[in-house]
């Protein structure tokens, strides 16, 4: 497969993940938490990078492929972090998880309840084969990062006359 094909496939993979997330949200009724939204932004960036690398900025495609790999590694990191929060391996941001309530007064507890987001980041709302959506995002993002990295290393396009830029 050429670098062009790998970049198109990586961009299509990110677009498919975005469409899947939107499908779960709007068709499945699973509202995203703040960390879920964070995980969508690298995929939006990857779709834009793929579009630019395969059209108007094709002469800069090697460096865009490197950028795509970095963006997907960020997505994998966010997904891993979110999955760890869901499985209670570590604490997430205080803005979207439940804090320790043992030392709170009744007024403080009520304020925390009223100030809590509607969807918490530390609750698992969907799981398949032992992985949450965040875990699947991390794994798929690692695979997409591999496609981008392969495009960076072997960047020859099908219409190139020379093997290197």
């Amino acid at each position: 497969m050429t670098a062009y094909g790998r970049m198109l496939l990586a961009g299509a993979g990110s677009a498919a993940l975005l469409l899947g997330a939107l499908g779960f949200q709007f068709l499945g009724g699973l509202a995203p938490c703040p960390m879920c939204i964070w995980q969508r932004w690298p995929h939006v960036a990857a779709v834009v990078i793929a579009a630019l690398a395969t059209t108007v900025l094709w002469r800069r495609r090697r460096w865009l492929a490197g950028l795509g790999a970095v963006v997907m590694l960020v997505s994998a990191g966010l997904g891993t972090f979110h999955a760890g929060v869901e499985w209670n391996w570590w604490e997430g941001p205080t803005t979207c998880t439940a804090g320790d309530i043992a030392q709170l007064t009744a007024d403080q507890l009520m304020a925390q309840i009223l100030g809590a987001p509607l969807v918490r980041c530390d609750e698992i709302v969907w799981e398949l084969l032992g992985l949450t959506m965040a875990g699947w995002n991390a794994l798929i993002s690692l695979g997409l990062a591999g496609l981008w990295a392969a495009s960076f290393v072997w960047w020859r396009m099908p219409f190139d006359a020379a093997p290197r830029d």
Side-chain angles (χ1 to χ4, degrees):
M1 181 181 286
T2 64
Y4 182 79
R6 284 187 294 270
M7 287 187 285
L8 282 177
L9 185 60
S14 285
L17 282 178
L18 284 171
L19 289 174
L22 293 172
F24 274 105
Q25 180 178 348
F26 293 110
L27 301 176
L30 297 177
C33 72
M35 291 178 75
C36 294
I37 300 295
W38 297 349
Q39 292 173 73
R40 293 179 186 185
W41 287 109
H43 291 290
V44 170
V47 169
V48 171
I49 291 168
L52 291 174
T54 57
T55 57
V56 295
L57 294 178
W58 66 270
R59 291 191 183 272
R60 303 283 184 240
R61 67 194 173 274
R62 182 170 189 225
W63 303 110
L64 289 170
L67 180 61
V70 169
V71 165
M72 284 299 92
L73 289 175
V74 167
S75 178
L78 288 170
T80 301
F81 179 66
H82 189 188
V85 169
E86 290 174 328
W87 289 105
N88 296 316
W89 293 340
W90 46 74
E91 285 195 33
T94 57
T95 58
C96 66
T97 59
D100 184 23
I101 61 169
Q103 305 299 324
L104 297 179
T105 67
D107 290 333
Q108 291 171 329
L109 183 58
M110 184 57 78
Q112 181 177 350
I113 291 170
L114 293 175
L118 296 175
V119 181
R120 291 182 22 195
C121 299
D122 58 352
E123 290 183 352
I124 297 171
V125 295
W126 185 87
E127 182 179 344
L128 177 66
L129 301 175
L131 285 177
T132 65
M133 269 195 253
W136 282 108
N137 177 58
L139 284 179
I140 294 170
S141 293
L142 282 175
L144 295 174
L147 284 173
W148 282 111
S151 295
F152 178 79
V153 174
W154 299 288
W155 69 89
R156 187 170 179 201
M157 299 280 268
F159 47 85
D160 283 342
R164 300 247 185 248
D165 284 341

